[in-house]
Amino acid sequence: MWDTLCDNFQLHGSRNEMKRASTPAVPNFPKVAAGMLRVGILTNVPPVLRELGHDPDRTLAEIGMNAAMLADPDALIPFREVGTLLQHCVTRTGCDHFGLLVGERGNAATTGMVGLLVRNAPDVGTALADLLRYLHHHDRGGVPSLEVAGGRATLGYHIYEPDVPAADQVHAGGIAIALRIMQDLCGPNWRPTEVRLPFRKPVDTEAYRRIFKAPLRFDAEQAALVFPARWLAQRLRNVDQDL
């Protein structure tokens, strides 16, 4: 991606700019293979376990993991193991919205270099287009979508990796991250007009109502945030155009 950005800069810059242009020095980020995910947001699993009164090392050791495996956001983990991890945490803590609690701690930075690009787009529509185009550099088990119709935008997330355990936890966490990304772009008080969740309504929805502060629709076809399409034209503030 950095090479593409540099190529575009050299192609469209002036002659003097082209002479000065050079490929920036960046770390060697791991290539995300099919069925894999950057650890990213999962670095927050141990803190959530602690908040719920459970020792992360002991809890994760029960499924052959340890907290150190989740310390590097650029490390890779099989997507199906994410579901296994979240399901185990639900079972041990008794918290049936564990994935949601992990996801609410996310933001654009959760997606690594992709988030860096998204956060420095000129407007929300461009930022989401970048997210859709490049999220595979972070996530190769699920895919985002954006539909615009009738003055309404629907930002969704769909798991395509087969046989993922605890898909409800993954979807809840994923759409919570989407909320935080939109708040990164539009301001901390931004709220959707509807939140769609593709699983059965839980007995206790308080955590969902607290985090999303919007009407909830369970048993939906996909996990999604619905909001007025006019937000797509919103200009982003504090953008580093040089970056």
Side-chain angles (χ1 to χ4, degrees), residues 37-50 55-57 59-61 63-78 81-86 88-89 98 102:
L37 175 75
R38 282 180 64 256
V39 165
I41 189 65
L42 298 178
T43 59
N44 290 300
V45 167
V48 173
L49 282 170
R50 291 189 194 97
D55 177 74
D57 286 325
T59 303
L60 300 182
I63 55 171
M65 297 182 67
N66 58 60
M69 296 172 65
L70 303 179
D72 179 6
D74 284 319
L76 301 180
I77 182 172
E81 287 189 16
V82 175
T84 300
L85 168 64
L86 294 177
H88 181 69
C89 291
F98 189 91
V102 173

Side-chain angles (χ1 to χ4, degrees), residues 67-132:
M69 296 172 65
L70 303 179
D72 179 6
D74 284 319
L76 301 180
I77 182 172
F79 201 90
R80 293 179 190 175
E81 287 189 16
V82 175
T84 300
L85 168 64
L86 294 177
Q87 183 59 67
H88 181 69
C89 291
V90 169
T91 301
R92 281 291 172 260
T93 63
C95 176
D96 63 2
H97 53 271
F98 189 91
L100 181 70
L101 296 183
V102 173
E104 76 163 321
R105 294 172 177 240
N107 52 34
T110 298
T111 60
M113 277 207 304
V114 180
L116 187 66
L117 179 65
V118 166
R119 188 60 190 84
N120 288 281
D123 54 58
V124 173
T126 304
L128 295 183
D130 289 339
L131 181 69
L132 267 61

